[in-house]
């Protein structure tokens, strides 16, 4: 084995050009593969991240204004949902499809003030589940907790954008402070991230506190629940139709009056996103496989040429006593050595390129309009070391196997024919 | 008897069959120094390649050192070539990216001899042929005569019983040709190695002890030439 190693080392050293060309092809193949995997990952991460940030899996039900007359009422009537609708939704009838049910009060516009700074906000009474359902990430402090509700505490959670207005120097310092809101004051218990977009102007306060101050009726602003049961879009739509009609009838609204009682659905959106994700993932896989295949073809092609070029040399070796197995061993060991060394270099450079991609394109944001705001095109476009190593090893193994075919042929050429080759 | 050929036939078939060796019967004793002569295309190289187990024959029998050389596996053939036969080619056939000493070492590599030992032995043989100073030179830095001497050193290093040389002087000028032939003659006399030289130069053949003429694929006249008088030309001065 050591003798073979020395033989290979001397062969590679004395054939610098051939070694460099073969090595370059291998490095380049693996480099491209890693870059592609990285970019694909970045795209995927960005897509998944953005989707999960903006699409929730919840169903939201709100009372709006009727758009058609029904049951003796004129159109244009304002519909208010109330506590009984929550209980009704939680009831036995819908348990096959409805998961957790939460409610939210309507909202009241206020102006928060602190030490002469002011900022507008929409106060709304919510339950602690609101954080989970709306995927709210805390910047400082905490979200509302059950004790806040039980004790009807006058506490509020502000958005980071609002906190910056009220406490420009140090938004964090706002946590624990009391801020004015018209005739009442609230203590800030937490600040949540607004993620560049300013979509959350809502300032959550405990549901019970809101009810005590702004709206003592049993009316509610919206019901939010998770869906637990329907698997397909069709199943879900059948459920929504049945549930919506029944709820509208409770309020003497036409069963098909979607504006009277509105049902917002992040659930099927989410299913569609899942489909889109699957398509992107499949696409990236195919792209990756194609790159891999072209890498293998490139590597084995180089091997083929290298072997062809060396036929005469193999003839000499055979004439002086090399068996076919020795020739095969030599070619394969040489190709493994080359692909391993240069494959590693290619992998290393590819990972550096991914880092550069992350630091440049990965930081750029694109305004995609709507009220979603800016999103990053590539999020963390890198490849894990494990995947990179796997891809590299796969390429080395595949390249070697592909190179073994010409090697096998070279090993079997009769010595006299090999000697005749030039 | 080192070599015994019985009714050897060889036909090349590249589209159109060409019967090159048409029943060769030939015996060569251990320690002989013979040459094979014949017109171009008469089958000299073909015969030598069969003797060197580089190529196979169609029918007949080839006995080398008492062993029938027929239907050998490539591995066996490689082993016989390595241990019993040394080759000297017209175009030297040195590996261009290896230095002189590395080329000479190579047959020992295939015998599994350790590197250090190999190197020592190769240096010893290069010294014998007066090439010590050229040991670390690559073939393209050497003259034809030097390259052929390196090739001879490589052929000798496994201490073979038989050296086969196909036009060993074909690419050399007359002065170097003489030197190479003197070298082969000395090896034959001092080490008792059997040497077969293919040539179409009468002057070269005249240096050998026996001249075998081949014509149209069969053995013609066999000339005893112990006195080296087969040729009275002026080339080999
Ligand atoms: N591999 C081959 N395939 C087909 N024909 C061949 C092959 N090798 C040699 N021949 C033919 O066989 C005949 C004998 O060739 P060989 O090389 O043995 O001749 P030679 O006596 O060595 O000639 P020269 O003096 O020119 O070297 C020639 O006609 C040649 O064309
Ligand atoms: Mg010839």
């Amino acid at each position: 084995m050591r003798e073979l190693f020395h033989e290979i080392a001397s062969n590679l050293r004395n054939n610098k050009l051939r070694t460099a060309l073969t090595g370059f092809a291998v490095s380049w193949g693996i480099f491209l593969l890693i870059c592609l995997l990285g970019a694909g990952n970045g795209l995927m991460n960005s897509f998944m991240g953005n989707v999960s940030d903006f699409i929730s899996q919840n169903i939201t039900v709100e009372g709006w204004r009727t758009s058609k007359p029904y049951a003796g009422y004129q159109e244009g009537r304002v519909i208010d949902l109330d506590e009984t609708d929550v209980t009704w939704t939680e009831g036995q009838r819908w348990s096959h499809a409805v998961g957790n049910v939460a409610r939210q009060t309507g909202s009241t516009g206020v102006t928060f003030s602190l030490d002469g700074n002011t900022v507008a906000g929409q106060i709304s009474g919510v339950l602690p589940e609101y954080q989970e359902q709306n995927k709210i990430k805390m910047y400082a402090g905490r979200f509302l907790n059950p004790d806040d509700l039980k004790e009807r505490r006058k506490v509020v959670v502000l958005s980071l954008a609002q906190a910056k207005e009220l406490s420009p120097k140090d938004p964090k310092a706002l946590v624990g402070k009391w801020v004015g809101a018209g005739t009442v004051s609230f203590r800030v218990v937490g600040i949540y991230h607004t993620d560049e977009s300013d979509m959350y102007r809502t300032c959550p306060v405990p549901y019970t506190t809101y009810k005590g101050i702004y709206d003592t009726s049993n009316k509610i602003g919206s019901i939010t629940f998770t869906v637990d049961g329907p698997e397909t879009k069709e199943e879900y739509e059948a459920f929504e139709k049945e549930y919506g009609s029944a709820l509208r009838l409770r309020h003497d609204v036409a069963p098909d009056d979607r504006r009277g009682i509105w049902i917002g659905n992040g659930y099927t959106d989410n299913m569609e996103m899942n489909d889109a994700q699957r398509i992107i993932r499949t696409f990236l896989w195919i792209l990756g496989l194609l790159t891999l295949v072209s890498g293998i073809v490139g590597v084995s092609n180089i091997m083929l040429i290298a072997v062809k070029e060396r036929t005469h040399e193999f003839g000499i070796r055979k004439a002086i006593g090399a068996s076919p197995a020795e020739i095969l061993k030599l070619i394969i060991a040489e190709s493994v050595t080359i692909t391993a060394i240069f494959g590693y270099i290619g992998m290393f450079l590819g990972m550096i390129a991914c880092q550069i991609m992350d630091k440049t394109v990965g930081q750029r944001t694109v305004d995609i309009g709507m009220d979603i705001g800016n999103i990053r095109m590539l999020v963390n476009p890198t490849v894990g070391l494990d995947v990179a190593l796997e891809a590299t090893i796969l390429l080395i193994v595949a390249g070697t196997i592909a190179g073994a075919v010409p090697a096998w042929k070279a090993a079997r050429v009769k010595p006299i024919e090999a000697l005749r080759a030039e | 008897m080192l070599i015994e050929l019985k009714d050897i036939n060889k036909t090349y078939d590249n589209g159109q069959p060409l019967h090159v060796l048409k029943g060769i019967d030939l015996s060569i004793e251990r320690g002989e120094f013979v040459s094979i002569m014949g017109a171009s295309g008469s089958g000299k190289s073909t015969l030598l390649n069969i003797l060197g187990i580089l190529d196979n024959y169609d029918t007949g029998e080839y006995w080398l050192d008492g062993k029938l050389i027929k239907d050998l596996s490539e591995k066996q053939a490689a082993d016989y070539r390595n241990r019993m036969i040394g080759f000297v080619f017209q175009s030297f056939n040195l590996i261009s990216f290896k230095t002189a000493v590395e080329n000479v070492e190579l047959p020992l590599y295939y015998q599994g001899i350790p590197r250090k030992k190999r190197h020592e032995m190769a240096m010893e043989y290069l010294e014998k042929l007066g090439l010590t100073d050229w040991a670390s030179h690559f073939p393209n830095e050497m003259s034809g005569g030097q390259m052929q001497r390196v090739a001879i050193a490589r052929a000798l290093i496994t201490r073979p019983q038989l050296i086969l040389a196909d036009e060993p002087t074909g690419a050399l000028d007359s002065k170097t040709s003489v030197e190479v032939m003197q070298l082969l003659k000395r090896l034959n006399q001092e080490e008792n190695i059997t040497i077969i030289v293919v040539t179409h130069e009468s002057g070269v053949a005249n240096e050998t002890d026996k001249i075998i003429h081949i014509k149209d694929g069969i053995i013609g006249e066999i000339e005893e030439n112990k006195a080296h008088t087969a040729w009275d030309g002026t080339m080999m001065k």
Side-chain angles (χ1 to χ4, degrees):
Chain A
M1 203 60 205
R2 248 186 65 212
E3 295 299 326
L4 181 65
F5 175 75
H6 280 298
E7 176 68 17
I8 290 167
S10 118
N11 288 350
L12 296 186
R13 208 171 334 109
N14 290 324
N15 287 287
K16 290 199 178 64
L17 183 66
R18 192 181 73 209
T19 307
L21 284 178
T22 317
F24 178 75
V26 174
S27 290
W28 183 243
I30 293 191
F31 175 82
L32 279 185
L33 181 67
I34 300 288
C35 287
L36 192 90
L37 284 177
N41 270 349
L43 212 63
M44 202 72 204
N45 289 343
S46 143
F47 189 76
M48 305 246 271
N50 291 322
V51 164
S52 59
D53 276 356
F54 300 112
I55 304 290
S56 70
Q57 294 200 42
N58 304 319
I59 306 299
T60 304
V61 186
E62 287 175 9
W64 286 2
R65 216 178 261 272
T66 57
S67 64
K68 50 181 84 167
Y70 189 75
Y73 292 102
Q74 290 286 309
E75 66 174 275
R77 183 169 57 103
V78 173
I79 304 299
D80 288 315
L81 300 179
D82 59 37
E83 304 275 2
T84 65
D85 292 318
V86 177
T87 327
W88 178 78
T89 302
E90 282 170 340
Q92 186 64 39
R93 179 168 176 193
W94 307 113
S95 61
H96 64 282
V98 173
N100 293 326
V101 183
R103 75 200 88 161
Q104 187 177 344
T105 65
S107 59
T108 303
V110 299
T111 304
F112 293 107
S113 60
L114 178 72
D115 302 337
N117 294 320
T118 59
V119 68
Q122 291 280 334
I123 286 186
S124 179
V126 305
L127 305 180
E129 293 92 301
Y130 181 90
Q131 180 183 15
E132 170 70 33
Q133 287 179 343
N134 292 280
K135 303 204 186 313
I136 287 187
K137 294 187 196 81
M138 298 308 292
Y139 167 74
R142 61 168 175 84
F143 197 72
L144 305 174
N145 64 27
D147 286 344
D148 294 334
L149 270 89
K150 220 186 292 161
E151 297 175 16
R152 297 174 180 246
R153 289 176 186 158
K154 286 188 179 153
V155 291
V156 66
V157 180
L158 298 179
S159 75
L160 181 55
Q162 290 163 329
K164 278 179 179 160
E165 297 284 326
L166 289 179
S167 178
K169 289 216 184 74
D170 184 8
K172 269 201 173 79
L174 207 58
V175 176
K177 286 203 175 134
W178 288 83
V179 294
T183 53
V184 280
S185 295
F186 287 94
R187 193 161 62 87
V188 179
V189 290
I191 298 167
Y192 65 88
H193 270 292
T194 31
D195 209 18
E196 288 177 41
S197 70
D198 200 13
M199 89 186 279
Y200 304 117
R201 299 225 126 219
T202 301
C203 307
V205 299
Y207 185 86
T208 49
T209 311
Y210 186 93
K211 279 294 183 192
I213 299 172
Y214 299 101
D215 177 15
T216 50
S217 73
N218 70 345
K219 285 187 214 158
I220 60 169
S222 62
I223 303 174
T224 306
F225 57 86
T226 56
V227 176
D228 190 5
E231 303 256 301
T232 65
K233 211 173 159 183
E234 288 70 33
E235 269 175 47
Y236 169 76
E237 274 163 1
F239 157 74
E240 189 195 288
K241 199 171 171 204
E242 193 190 346
Y243 173 83
S245 313
L247 182 61
R248 287 179 190 117
L249 285 176
R250 276 172 60 84
H251 293 269
D252 293 325
V253 176
D256 60 346
D257 188 352
R258 294 176 178 280
R259 316 218 49 169
I261 290 179
W262 173 83
I263 299 179
N265 150 21
Y267 186 70
T268 48
D269 286 356
N270 203 51
M271 283 203 246
E272 273 159 19
M273 285 301 175
N274 280 340
D275 287 346
Q277 271 178 29
R278 220 177 351 254
I279 291 168
I280 291 190
R281 205 187 285 270
T282 311
F283 177 71
L284 285 175
W285 257 104
I286 291 173
L287 221 60
L289 282 179
L290 284 180
T291 317
L292 203 62
V293 167
S294 70
I296 291 168
V297 169
V299 169
S300 48
N301 210 24
I302 291 275
M303 297 291 169
L304 188 96
I305 292 168
V307 165
K308 265 228 141 67
E309 234 172 34
R310 296 176 70 183
T311 308
H312 185 71
E313 177 201 330
F314 296 146
I316 297 172
R317 287 175 186 270
K318 285 181 171 196
I320 61 177
S323 65
E326 291 281 358
I327 300 288
L328 193 67
K329 211 160 74 182
L330 183 72
I331 300 174
I332 290 189
E334 276 193 39
S335 75
V336 169
T337 309
I338 289 189
T339 45
I341 292 174
F342 287 91
Y344 184 78
I345 293 175
M347 183 188 93
F348 186 72
L349 293 179
M351 292 185 78
I352 289 179
C354 282
Q355 291 297 334
I356 293 173
M357 201 149 60
D358 189 24
K359 296 282 176 302
T360 55
V361 193
Q363 300 304 319
R364 213 166 292 155
T365 55
V366 181
D367 192 343
I368 58 168
M370 302 188 279
D371 49 2
I372 286 176
N374 292 335
I375 61 161
R376 278 164 67 188
M377 278 284 284
L378 295 177
V379 175
N380 193 19
T382 52
V383 182
L385 189 63
D386 50 344
V387 175
L389 270 178
E390 274 166 32
T392 308
I393 289 171
L394 188 63
L395 206 61
I396 292 172
V397 170
T400 306
I401 290 173
V405 176
W408 175 241
K409 278 190 186 150
R412 283 167 41 118
V413 172
K414 278 200 301 188
I416 189 64
E417 277 161 25
L419 275 174
R420 226 176 261 135
E422 200 46 74
Chain B
M1 200 67 64
L2 181 65
I3 288 174
E4 185 112 55
L5 295 178
K6 288 180 189 159
D7 195 24
I8 294 287
N9 282 274
K10 171 80 178 174
T11 302
Y12 286 116
D13 195 355
N14 291 351
Q16 178 182 0
L18 182 64
H19 198 173
V20 178
L21 299 183
K22 303 168 182 165
I24 300 276
D25 289 299
L26 183 64
S27 304
I28 292 171
E29 301 271 3
R30 202 176 290 276
E32 278 198 271
F33 186 22
V34 305
S35 56
I36 299 175
M37 286 196 78
S40 183
S42 55
K44 306 182 294 290
S45 296
T46 306
L47 178 60
L48 203 75
N49 291 337
I50 289 170
L51 290 176
I53 331 180
L54 291 170
D55 205 351
N56 44 18
Y57 52 95
D58 300 326
T59 58
E61 282 177 9
Y62 168 25
W63 295 82
L64 174 62
D65 197 23
K67 290 183 205 81
L68 179 62
I69 305 299
K70 190 160 209 173
D71 301 327
L72 296 184
S73 72
E74 279 291 339
K75 187 170 157 47
Q76 271 176 311
D79 195 52
Y80 281 160
R81 285 195 294 269
N82 183 263
R83 290 175 195 278
M84 304 194 41
I85 306 167
F87 292 95
V88 179
F89 301 93
Q90 176 175 10
S91 54
F92 323 127
N93 277 342
L94 298 176
I95 293 178
S96 60
F97 60 81
K98 286 182 179 290
T99 60
V101 66
E102 285 170 342
N103 267 287
V104 177
E105 276 178 40
L106 204 53
L108 298 180
Y109 168 79
Y110 290 114
Q111 291 188 356
I113 291 174
R115 206 150 50 104
K116 242 181 110 172
K117 177 96 186 292
R118 244 157 51 201
H119 190 77
E120 274 167 20
M121 287 176 71
M123 287 309 291
E124 197 180 301
Y125 274 87
L126 285 176
E127 193 190 337
K128 245 188 211 175
L129 299 189
L131 289 164
T132 311
D133 294 344
W134 295 89
S136 52
H137 283 254
F138 290 97
N140 63 6
E141 298 163 349
M142 288 184 271
S143 72
Q146 285 164 338
M147 281 194 273
Q148 199 58 299
R149 277 186 287 158
V150 172
I152 292 170
R154 182 180 65 185
L156 289 174
I157 198 159
T158 56
R159 306 188 147 275
Q161 305 180 31
L162 174 65
I163 283 187
L164 301 175
D166 194 349
E167 314 250 10
T169 61
L172 305 177
D173 62 32
S174 50
K175 183 171 167 290
T176 333
S177 298
V178 175
E179 283 169 14
V180 165
M181 287 313 290
Q182 295 305 331
L183 177 57
L184 292 179
K185 192 185 226 168
R186 207 180 79 212
L187 289 169
N188 170 253
Q189 285 167 358
E190 290 173 8
E191 322 247 338
N192 201 35
I193 301 174
T194 312
I195 298 179
I196 304 176
V197 178
V198 161
T199 183
H200 57 247
E201 292 175 52
S202 309
V204 169
N206 192 34
E207 296 297 306
T208 64
D209 297 338
K210 191 197 256 184
I211 302 171
I212 298 166
H213 291 273
I214 182 168
K215 201 176 175 209
D216 294 331
I218 47 169
I219 302 287
E221 186 193 357
I222 298 182
E223 258 179 285
E224 286 297 337
N225 189 37
K226 288 263 192 296
H228 305 296
T229 52
W231 182 77
D232 56 357
T234 50
M235 188 200 111
M236 308 290 280
K237 276 178 200 154

